[in-house]
Amino acid sequence: MKVVCFKGRSNPNEIEVGLLDQGLIKVLDFLPEQAHQGLLAIIDLQAQGKRLPAVKAEVATSKIRLMAPIPRPRRNVFCVGLNYKPHAKEFTKSGFDAGKSTGAGDLPTDPIIFSKVPETVVGPFDPVRLPVAEVSTSIDYEAELAVIIGQRCKNVSKDDAMKMVWGYTIVNDVTARDWQHRHKQWHMGKSFDDFCPMGPAAVSADSVNGQDLAIRCWINGELRQDSRTSELIFDIPTLIATISAGITLQPGDIIATGTPVGVGIGFTPPKFLHAGDVVKVAIEGIGEIENKFVSV
Ligand code: MG
């Protein structure tokens, strides 16, 4: 199942939810207050053992504006730092690491978890507003697989963890590197407005193996990141076991699993994003998102 959330079928402001099938969306007959939650409306029904509403219409994706499958998460997006070995090394080497790393060979011994505020989320093809130059000129991209939790759970074992996964989507964990460095804790530099493009669809776990998918990122058509999710240092079961040990995970929670090597600060000099740059992230079986970075 591929779930999309969108606007503009008949009314430019009405948010609807549908199932994507080869470029055609089967629009589900949700009440408006359900539909504006996107995928969360479906996850809530499924968690209660209820059926999905009937299909009320069909529309081509070319006729509507896709939104993030979860346009406004109910709480912060969980994120994982330094979860691919080559990226952990490029980050340490870049000098933007504010931690106590001692050299380019440092790898985390436990998952590094931080979060982004829910308001960072924007659609898969929406523009991303760069902060004014006085605030930051060190804006970077991070292509990531995001795991969507399907049920309330706590203290989940690694063996049971994949049963808690509803499915997957793509995020770009956009980052203000100077803020990430200067403020030590990563929350601020990761949480600027528009800093979490997401989509284009949420794909259920029964239709794709999130633990081994190709993940790629291009800047203005130039391939910068090219890896597989099988290369994660801490795999999806480990991440769910770690977070749920103390925090009850809720249906609809999102865990961005970390980015591969090839981000802007991995280059010398760093290749930060500027107005007009277009960042495309593609993950096998999920689709692609493409966002233009714009000045305000
Ligand atoms: Mg990240």
Side-chain angles (χ1 to χ4, degrees), residues 80 114 142 144 173 190 258-259:
V80 185
F114 61 94
E142 296 192 349
E144 306 199 9
D173 176 19
K190 299 280 191 174
T259 200

Side-chain angles (χ1 to χ4, degrees), residues 79-82 87 114 116 142-144 171-175 177 186 190 256-259:
C79 300
V80 185
L82 311 187
H87 170 65
F114 61 94
K116 297 167 91 80
E142 296 192 349
E144 306 199 9
V171 302
N172 180 355
D173 176 19
V174 183
T175 306
R177 295 294 182 199
W186 298 1
K190 299 280 191 174
T257 54
T259 200

Side-chain angles (χ1 to χ4, degrees), residues 267-284:
F267 295 88
T268 309
K271 295 184 177 181
F272 293 124
L273 296 171
H274 301 101
D277 285 343
V278 175
V279 181
K280 180 165 89 172
V281 181
I283 298 184
E284 181 184 5

Side-chain angles (χ1 to χ4, degrees), residues 95-133:
F96 279 85
D97 187 357
K100 292 200 169 22
S101 300
T102 53
D106 286 0
L107 294 174
T109 52
D110 293 90
I112 298 168
I113 311 290
F114 61 94
S115 74
K116 297 167 91 80
V117 296
E119 294 78 8
T120 53
V121 173
V122 294
F125 303 104
D126 286 350
V128 173
R129 291 167 292 171
L130 290 163
V132 294

